[in-house]
Amino acid sequence: MATAGGGSVADPGCRSLLRLLSFCVLLAASVSGDTGILHVVEKERDLQWVLTDGPNPPYVVLLEGELFTRNLMEKLKGTTSRIAGLAVSLAKPRPVSGSSPSVQCPNDGFGIYSNSYGPEFAHCREIPWNPLGDGLAYEDFSFPIFLLEDENETKVIKQCYRDHNLSPNGSAPTFPLCAMQLFSHMHAVISTVTCMRRSSIQSTFSINPEIVCDPLSDYNVWSMLKPINISGALEPDDRVVVAATRLDSRSFFWNVAPGAESAVASFVTQLAAAEALQKAPDALTLPRNVMFVFFQGETFDYIGSSRMVYDMEKGKFPVQLENIDSFVELGQVALRNSLELWMHTDPMSQKNESVHNQVEALLSTLEKSGAGVPAVVLRRPNQSQPLPPSSLQRFLRARNISGVVLADHSAVFHNHYYQSIYDTAENINVSYPEWQSPEEDLNFVTDTAKALADVATVLGRALYQLAGGTNFSDTIQADPQTVTRLLYGFLVRANNSWFQSILRQDLRSYLGDGPLQHYIAVSSPTNTTYVVQYALANLTGQVVDLPREQCQDPSKVPSENKDLYEYAWVQGPLNSNETDRLPRCVRSTARLARALSPAFELRQWGSTEYSTWTESRWKDIRARIFLVASRELEFITLMVGFGILVFSLVVTYCINAKADVLFITPREPGAVSY
């Protein structure tokens, strides 16, 4: 299966994801490619040529990014006979009014609220959390849609249009014309149920099965403040405080998911909090343990959290649901319009007096922790307000626990680019002086890094107190340097000296020169998952004096225990001459846990309880531009070629019929006597 699409030209759009309702399915992409005359649409009125006036349909539209809206796409969708495909250029600057191809009620139907439980909150009746969401990413389009990320390639395509397709006074251009061909044929069809059934039949009866789709899957990253034996389960009396956030995001286009506000700011903050808490002098002797969890696939109906809950219920995870003492989740936290950070809780579970008292104690602890950090003010929204979309909802479906979601919004999202290609570093105000080198940018502490470090400090102190700590709460302080390095690596340039130092040598290829993308995908672990796991290991683990062989196989060392710890041989920092690295062995509790929806393990491909997202397989994704002649010239060329063929057949027949005359066989010479 292809794991990277679009080559250097483009990335395909909403064409590879399937679900029960056939969202984001592109059925009509031709096996041989979709070809049309190129037409550039820079203003909405330019679209009239494509829809009605143009004499040479079908067209491939090169659309300016700011025009990529639901209203315009519905116009194109209504005239599919005249549209062969669409190429979208990035809008620079980004749309001022915002852009969100997600829905207004993310993960609707897979959280805690339903028509039978909290019906007043179901389907976001009270609060449409993402008011700018137009649902474009959940629509079905019958033509391929590509994203042009390279400005130079966009200029080349536009120049081809100007040279050959642009005529004065709105008259029809003369041939030859510039055309574009898009290749993005998807193997899967209709829905997850159909494609998984076909794949299953192929796997059962074929020696060389042709799988047509794969479930979205990856791994959750998790660690414990105090090591636990993963070969067994915790005792029922063991209490664990869970700190959770999500790892993934998405956009309309495949594998273009910067997720700066929707994901990165949150998991970077939690990484910094984990580092700060681990440094507490009595961290390993606290009455309660702390589990840090980074859920993967939450964008697609809570894949990671629903799988962890499922594993806990089935006894397949060392921590059980009954071990959870409290649950603190980081939602979107980077766009605080003021000092305020809002504490969201669930009003339904608090109808139970015991749970209500536990939640009140949890909120009081958070407020107490925030009191020592002047840059953060903890606020409570209306108590009757529902939870925003969050992993906590999946845990509450299974068990009433005291939980809170920390977010920068009291009601609707402040993020105007939720799950958009424009949810980049710019969206959370991460920028650097132009004169600095990449290495200087890596260590430059931005205002956003300082603000998130303050949030991480509040979180670290709250977790310390929730775990039973009393003596060193005020000494817990998140490091802005850690935050700024993480933000730079995930949002600006992954291939930097710090990320290189914390990874294994064989994982260097996962670091590209640009930002990491946070789409869950089907080939796992993804880049983000690996980097977060190793960042967590290096920030919370210990460097142990083991050679490479023993680090990679600690079972040979009597004093080490692989059931308690994970061991990683990382590249390490540069030496004093900055010529070679100093590799080392890092011991930590950072581990991976499968993030595959239980629906696929249960073979319930039409489930409404669990996520059923799949991704189609494909063989080739690319685009090209070329010149095409007029239909008249093509017809004349065809007729001339046909005439030559007929003439050659007649000549061949005549020659074959007269072959005995035209080609006389010479007589064999008689015997010669001497």
Side-chain angles (χ1 to χ4, degrees), residues 104-118:
Q104 294 188 0
C105 189
N107 293 354
D108 185 22
F110 290 86
I112 188 175
Y113 306 117
S114 65
N115 293 331
S116 59
Y117 185 87

Side-chain angles (χ1 to χ4, degrees), residues 344-364:
H344 297 268
T345 58
D346 170 44
M348 296 299 296
S349 59
Q350 290 188 72
K351 291 180 179 179
N352 181 303
E353 185 177 355
S354 174
V355 174
H356 174 74
N357 293 335
Q358 293 173 18
V359 171
E360 283 296 316
L362 172 58
L363 297 181
S364 298

Side-chain angles (χ1 to χ4, degrees), residues 180-479:
M180 192 170 190
Q181 189 172 27
L182 307 176
F183 298 87
S184 65
H185 179 67
M186 296 292 117
H187 294 182
V189 296
I190 303 178
S191 67
T192 287
V193 174
T194 302
C195 83
M196 289 300 294
R197 184 178 66 245
R198 291 183 180 182
S199 296
S200 177
I201 293 172
Q202 284 272 344
S203 300
T204 303
F205 297 104
S206 176
I207 298 177
N208 297 307
E210 183 176 347
I211 307 301
V212 296
C213 69
D214 301 278
L216 295 186
S217 66
D218 196 15
Y219 289 87
N220 298 323
V221 180
W222 67 284
S223 73
M224 303 297 295
L225 181 64
K226 297 184 290 185
I228 62 172
N229 192 328
I230 63 168
S231 62
L234 294 180
E235 295 296 326
D237 293 337
D238 293 333
R239 310 303 292 165
V240 175
V241 179
V242 177
T245 191
R246 67 172 57 190
L247 282 180
D248 68 307
S249 184
R250 68 166 297 183
S251 74
F252 184 91
F253 299 95
W254 178 82
N255 205 30
V256 183
E261 160 72 341
S262 61
V264 176
S266 305
F267 69 67
V268 162
T269 301
Q270 183 157 297
L271 285 169
E275 178 191 34
L277 181 58
Q278 195 74 45
K279 292 179 179 179
D282 58 346
L284 298 180
T285 59
L286 294 174
R288 289 178 283 278
N289 210 337
V290 178
M291 180 170 75
F292 294 95
V293 189
F294 302 80
F295 290 117
Q296 185 63 274
E298 296 302 272
T299 299
F300 296 96
D301 300 332
Y302 305 119
I303 292 175
S305 56
S306 63
R307 179 54 185 260
M308 181 164 284
V309 171
Y310 175 82
D311 286 343
M312 287 179 171
E313 290 177 324
K314 301 298 181 182
K316 298 179 180 180
F317 194 76
V319 178
Q320 308 299 305
L321 286 171
E322 54 266 26
N323 295 127
I324 298 177
D325 183 78
S326 53
F327 194 107
V328 182
E329 180 174 355
L330 282 181
Q332 300 180 86
V333 295
L335 292 178
R336 288 181 294 142
N337 293 339
S338 61
L339 303 178
E340 296 172 332
L341 193 65
W342 295 87
M343 303 180 292
H344 297 268
T345 58
D346 170 44
M348 296 299 296
S349 59
Q350 290 188 72
K351 291 180 179 179
N352 181 303
E353 185 177 355
S354 174
V355 174
H356 174 74
N357 293 335
Q358 293 173 18
V359 171
E360 283 296 316
L362 172 58
L363 297 181
S364 298
T365 300
L366 281 164
E367 289 169 337
K368 180 181 177 183
S369 302
V373 184
V376 180
V377 177
L378 278 300
R379 298 289 191 200
R380 302 189 187 195
N382 191 313
Q383 193 171 0
S384 63
Q385 183 174 298
L387 280 172
S390 53
S391 306
L392 174 58
Q393 293 200 30
R394 291 300 303 194
F395 282 80
L396 288 173
R397 284 178 68 140
R399 185 183 181 89
N400 277 349
I401 58 178
S402 62
V404 62
V405 177
L406 301 178
D408 57 22
H409 52 89
S410 61
V412 300
F413 295 163
H414 289 168
N415 186 4
H416 292 171
Y417 304 94
Y418 181 72
Q419 294 181 3
S420 164
I421 56 178
Y422 303 109
D423 189 11
T424 59
E426 179 187 2
N427 189 34
I428 60 172
N429 304 314
V430 173
S431 60
Y432 304 90
E434 294 182 0
W435 60 85
Q436 289 188 169
S437 67
E439 192 65 24
E440 290 172 327
D441 286 346
L442 171 66
N443 296 293
F444 178 78
V445 180
T446 63
D447 290 340
T448 300
K450 295 175 183 176
L452 292 179
D454 288 334
V455 176
T457 298
V458 172
L459 176 61
R461 292 179 180 182
L463 295 174
Y464 176 81
Q465 295 178 38
L466 290 170
T470 57
N471 299 325
F472 300 99
S473 179
D474 292 341
T475 65
I476 296 174
Q477 187 75 40
D479 187 0

